[in-house]
């Protein structure tokens, strides 16, 4: 009788361990493309991304660099005061996207150009993403719009 209880207990533990491993594997599989690291232009200059790596790039849109191409293709440069990265985006930009304003783009590097698949811009006059503020403060070029 004891060996039957012991065998049942072992079977339950093995089944629970297998279920746990399966759950962890499914969660990892689901997150494989969902986690994108943030980088500022200066960080990219110091530590370039790997080929094909999807990440978020943020900073200020450099004044005088916004150029509209054929169709919906737009190119501009993003800076954090220390470095500048050329960006290309095909699609419709947010209404509040403008030169000299903060933005974050998701995409990957193709050569020396960041090709964005998504662009996020500020949603009011004083908002700027926390990551962009931190990278601008690091470069010493952040100006608080509320002061």
């Amino acid at each position: 009788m004891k060996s039957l209880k012991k065998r049942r207990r072992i079977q339950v533990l093995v089944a629970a361990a297998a279920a746990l491993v399966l759950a962890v594997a499914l969660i990892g599989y689901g997150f494989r493309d969902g986690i994108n690291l943030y980088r500022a232009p200066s960080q990219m200059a110091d530590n370039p991304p790997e080929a094909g790596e999807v990440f978020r790039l943020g900073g200020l849109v450099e004044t005088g660099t916004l150029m509209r191409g054929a169709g919906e293709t737009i190119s501009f440069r993003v800076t954090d005061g220390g470095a500048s990265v050329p960006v290309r985006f095909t699609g419709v930009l947010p209404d509040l996207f403008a030169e000299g304003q903060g933005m974050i783009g998701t995409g990957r590097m193709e050569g020396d150009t960041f090709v964005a698949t998504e662009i996020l811009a500020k949603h009011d006059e004083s908002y700027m993403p926390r990551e962009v503020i931190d990278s601008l403060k690091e470069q010493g070029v952040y100006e608080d719009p509320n002061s």
Side-chain angles (χ1 to χ4, degrees):
M1 190 71 145
K2 283 192 174 191
S3 68
L4 182 60
K5 280 186 176 182
K6 189 175 181 180
R7 183 180 295 160
R8 228 358 128 193
R9 214 176 277 147
I10 290 173
Q11 288 174 344
V12 168
L13 288 175
V14 168
L20 181 64
V21 168
L22 179 65
V24 169
L26 287 174
I27 290 170
Y29 180 75
F31 279 130
R32 75 186 186 288
D33 290 332
I35 299 174
N36 299 320
L37 299 176
Y38 172 83
R39 294 187 183 195
S42 294
Q43 292 171 330
M44 288 183 52
D46 297 338
N47 185 16
E50 296 178 16
E53 176 185 352
V54 176
F55 62 97
R56 296 182 312 151
L57 172 67
L60 298 176
V61 178
E62 244 182 72
T63 304
T65 63
L66 184 62
M67 296 186 306
R68 303 200 182 267
E72 296 179 338
T73 301
I74 295 103
S75 62
F76 55 93
R77 295 184 73 84
V78 173
T79 186
D80 62 357
S84 181
V85 176
V87 177
R88 186 175 70 236
F89 175 69
T90 301
V92 179
L93 288 171
D95 290 339
L96 296 174
F97 182 87
E99 291 181 343
Q101 300 298 325
M103 62 75 61
I104 291 183
T106 303
R108 66 185 75 215
M109 292 300 289
E110 289 183 9
D112 290 338
T113 303
F114 179 76
V115 178
T117 55
E118 178 184 29
I119 298 284
L120 303 173
K122 66 178 191 161
H123 66 272
D124 68 18
E125 292 80 29
S126 62
Y127 174 77
M128 189 175 298
R130 181 182 49 80
E131 294 95 342
V132 174
I133 291 173
D134 291 344
S135 62
L136 291 173
K137 282 181 180 177
E138 204 171 279
Q139 295 299 318
V141 295
Y142 177 71
E143 296 175 17
D144 190 356
N146 298 324
S147 57

